[in-house]
């Protein structure tokens, strides 16, 4: 009986460990940019251009990373205008938990000019949940490629109740930039394994308690019989 009970506990623990491998905290494919909730768009380009909002629903320039034409969020050189024509438009995710270790990933694609006259650059990074643009720790400037390319970073647990945002900053010059798309933003976390280990120990303890109770019951009912009886 004990062997069967311990096996059941082990199966329960294994099942929980398998389902605990990864939790999705945020997943966005930008099928409907106008309907985004919790996202922040801020166009800090100097001076602002014809596209004042900074980021917009993708168009037929190319297909999304995981969808059809326009299924992504885009930006272009027209978020600024010439003299001095400095592009700086920000896309911030909603806040997500950093109570456990996790990963942030997203995909970027540029519309490559065949003459090589234009290129698009961006930076990305995390903060502790604020919408203050100066609070983000950003990567070095990255030149976007002509194919959808995934970028990611890992974050460490900052304790219960902690949170963060991801920022993507399209940055460059009006005169040399073109068109940029972002798609398939995903944030996942891995729960603390110790939580599940403790649960497994609890199940094992329960199995042992049940075994002890079973032994006690058998002893009482067999009291007075010979102890030489084989187990």
């Amino acid at each position: 009986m004990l062997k069967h009970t311990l096996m059941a506990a082990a199966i329960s623990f294994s099942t929980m460990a398998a389902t605990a491998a990864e939790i999705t905290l945020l997943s966005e494919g930008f099928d409907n940019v106008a309907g985004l909730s919790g996202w922040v768009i801020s166009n800090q380009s100097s001076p602002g251009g014809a596209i004042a909002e900074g980021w917009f629903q993708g168009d037929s320039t190319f297909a999304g990373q995981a969808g059809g034409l326009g299924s992504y969020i885009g930006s272009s050189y027209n978020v600024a205008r010439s003299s001095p024509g400095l592009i700086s438009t920000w896309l911030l995710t909603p806040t997500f938990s950093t109570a456990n270790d996790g990963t942030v990933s997203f995909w970027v694609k540029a519309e490559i000019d065949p003459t090589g006259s234009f290129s698009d650059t961006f930076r990305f990074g995390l903060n502790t949940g604020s919408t203050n643009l100066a609070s983000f720790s950003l990567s070095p400037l990255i030149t976007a490629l002509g194919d959808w390319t995934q970028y990611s970073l890992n974050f460490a647990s900052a304790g219960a109740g902690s949170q963060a945002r991801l920022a993507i900053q399209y940055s460059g010059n009006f005169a040399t930039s073109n068109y940029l798309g972002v798609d398939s933003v995903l944030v996942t976390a891995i729960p603390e394994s110790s939580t599940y280990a403790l649960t497994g120990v609890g199940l094992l303890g329960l199995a042992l308690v049940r075994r002890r109770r079973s032994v006690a019951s058998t002893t009482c009912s067999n009291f007075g019989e010979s102890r030489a009886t084989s187990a």
Side-chain angles (χ1 to χ4, degrees):
M1 178 64 182
L2 175 60
K3 181 178 180 180
H4 291 164
T5 306
L6 291 177
M7 185 178 294
I11 291 172
S12 298
F13 174 59
S14 297
T15 301
M16 285 184 292
T19 56
E22 191 172 86
I23 296 175
T24 298
L25 303 179
L26 174 66
S27 179
E28 181 57 59
F30 302 109
D31 293 326
N32 180 16
V33 170
L36 291 176
S37 177
W39 290 73
V40 177
I41 292 174
S42 179
N43 186 8
Q44 299 295 312
S45 301
S46 177
I51 303 178
E53 61 269 30
W55 292 90
F56 46 82
Q57 184 72 56
D59 57 28
S60 59
T61 299
F62 45 71
Q65 185 273 328
L69 288 177
S71 181
Y72 60 91
I73 191 167
S75 192
S76 84
Y77 69 97
N78 278 319
V79 298
R81 54 190 171 89
S82 60
S83 188
L86 300 178
I87 296 172
S88 177
T89 183
W90 296 71
L91 177 65
L92 313 185
T93 68
T95 56
F96 52 85
S97 172
T98 53
N100 299 298
D101 296 347
T103 301
V104 178
S105 67
F106 59 95
W107 296 73
V108 174
K109 174 179 168 65
E111 175 66 8
I112 301 299
D113 172 57
T115 68
S117 302
F118 307 104
S119 63
D120 297 288
T121 55
F122 68 96
R123 300 189 294 170
F124 68 96
L126 302 177
N127 72 356
T128 56
S130 170
T131 58
N132 179 2
L133 303 181
S135 68
F136 287 91
S137 297
L138 296 175
S139 68
L141 208 59
I142 301 167
T143 299
L145 304 178
D147 295 317
W148 283 110
T149 304
Q150 187 178 41
Y151 300 86
S152 64
L153 57 83
N154 298 324
F155 58 86
S157 169
S162 63
Q163 59 184 15
R165 288 182 190 265
L166 166 72
I168 301 172
Q169 181 200 23
Y170 179 32
S171 178
N173 190 283
F174 170 86
T176 57
S177 299
N178 190 19
Y179 187 90
L180 188 77
V182 172
D183 202 2
S184 302
V185 176
L186 180 65
V187 182
T188 58
I190 301 176
E192 291 288 347
S193 58
S194 58
T195 302
Y196 296 90
L198 288 173
T199 304
V201 170
L203 289 171
L204 179 60
L206 178 60
L208 292 175
V209 168
R210 286 178 177 172
R211 172 59 178 165
R212 287 171 184 157
R213 288 177 179 172
S214 176
V215 170
S217 175
T218 301
T219 302
C220 290
S221 61
N222 293 338
F223 184 75
E225 295 183 2
S226 171
R227 291 182 293 178
T229 304
S230 300

